[in-house]
Amino acid sequence: MPYVAVTLEIPETVYRPGYPVVLDLDIPWHMPIPLFLQEALPAILRRKGLPVPELPEGHFWRLVRLGRMRPLPLLTHTFRGAGVWDGERLRLEAHALPWPPDRFYLEYVRVISSDRGSFVPERIYLAQQQITLGRHDLSRDRFVDVDLSLFPHGRRVSRRHAEIVFEEGHFVLRDLNSRHGTWVNGRPVTVQKAHRLHPGDRVSLGDRLHFVFRDAQRGSPLLTEEDRVRKETSS
């Protein structure tokens, strides 16, 4: 099994003042990032005799890639999918989010048999309130939240193809003037004509890359930030 060697920083803001931790780790390349954060990292800390940091209510762990100061997306699911390479430095952070980071996602629709057996992320988790979909432009040091070149035909999408923004309790999809367009259930989406996503919507980025929007807790109400403040005030 291939591994990736990284340095993980757990800053004193996560533990307590004057108690930062730096770990050199070999992480399986295909390990899902949520699994690492929820199970593998606490086990590593316990083996080293270190306390497992407590997570504030309404927050979730995420990893930030130092140097670029960008979060490692839960979106692409694994360390390989997130493009982590040997020698990178990562930092653990607590991130406030009104919903569990694995609740909403775009499920990849396999359309060619050659997908099978190859590495293709199964899901893009919507674990941020604004997500840009496209392709990294390494020559210009420009990055997107989700690099779609990991998918078959992903090279056909624009560098800044589309974005998903959480607005007024809903995820809204907008095209960013992409070359091959963005579609939902066969209808075009533009900058001016955005689409509010509903569970089961089929999202097409270009003509060959397709996803289905899913809610793992469909039917459960989404606790927005306003709801959370109201709940805390009344209690």
Side-chain angles (χ1 to χ4, degrees):
M1 177 185 297
Y3 288 80
V4 59
V6 301
T7 298
L8 175 63
E9 298 181 7
I10 305 179
E12 58 184 30
T13 52
V14 171
Y15 272 139
R16 57 182 180 269
Y19 200 81
V21 171
V22 178
L23 302 172
D24 292 320
L25 302 175
D26 292 323
I27 303 172
W29 214 13
H30 291 287
M31 174 174 283
I33 296 172
L35 180 64
F36 173 79
L37 292 172
Q38 295 166 13
E39 298 183 17
L41 181 57
I44 292 170
L45 293 173
R46 292 189 190 98
R47 285 201 302 269
K48 293 181 177 292
L50 297 170
V52 177
E54 295 183 4
L55 192 62
E57 184 178 357
H59 288 66
F60 300 90
W61 294 125
R62 73 176 181 183
L63 297 174
V64 172
R65 189 182 248 130
L66 297 185
R68 302 177 188 175
M69 297 308 295
R70 299 184 63 84
L72 265 191
L74 292 171
L75 325 167
T76 43
H77 201 50
T78 68
F79 283 87
R80 177 177 178 177
V84 178
W85 299 99
D86 281 336
E88 289 210 59
R89 296 182 70 88
L90 308 176
R91 184 173 65 199
L92 182 69
E93 288 187 350
H95 174 56
L97 198 63
W99 59 86
D102 57 353
R103 173 172 175 176
F104 300 99
Y105 57 91
L106 296 178
E107 183 178 52
Y108 174 59
V109 178
R110 295 178 181 269
V111 295
I112 55 175
S113 58
S114 59
D115 281 1
R116 307 194 182 282
S118 61
F119 171 77
V120 179
E122 297 288 344
R123 299 175 177 179
I124 296 174
Y125 288 104
L126 307 187
Q128 298 168 201
Q129 299 205 33
Q130 182 171 356
I131 297 167
T132 305
L133 307 166
R135 291 185 290 117
H136 295 330
D137 186 354
L138 300 179
S139 63
R140 300 182 182 180
D141 200 32
R142 295 178 181 174
F143 299 89
V144 292
D145 296 305
V146 179
D147 183 7
L148 295 168
S149 63
L150 295 165
F151 296 88
H153 306 298
R155 290 290 177 182
R156 290 177 58 83
V157 305
S158 299
R159 287 187 171 89
R160 286 179 53 82
H161 193 102
E163 68 175 3
I164 299 175
V165 181
F166 187 72
E167 297 178 348
E168 299 179 353
H170 299 274
F171 288 100
V172 177
L173 172 67
R174 292 186 181 89
D175 186 79
L176 298 177
N177 294 318
S178 65
R179 181 176 182 180
H180 294 293
T182 301
W183 311 77
V184 177
N185 302 326
R187 297 180 179 179
V189 175
T190 65
V191 175
Q192 296 78 17
K193 189 178 180 181
H195 177 85
R196 179 182 291 182
L197 290 170
H198 301 278
D201 279 349
R202 184 181 176 96
V203 176
S204 299
L205 302 172
D207 55 352
R208 298 187 182 182
L209 192 55
H210 309 287
F211 301 88
V212 176
F213 176 64
R214 304 289 191 193
D215 178 358
Q217 299 177 24
R218 185 171 183 174
S220 300
L222 177 59
L223 185 65
T224 64
E225 190 60 32
E226 291 77 10
D227 295 331
R228 190 182 304 281
V229 172
R230 191 180 303 112
K231 180 179 179 182
E232 292 176 353
T233 304
S234 61
S235 59

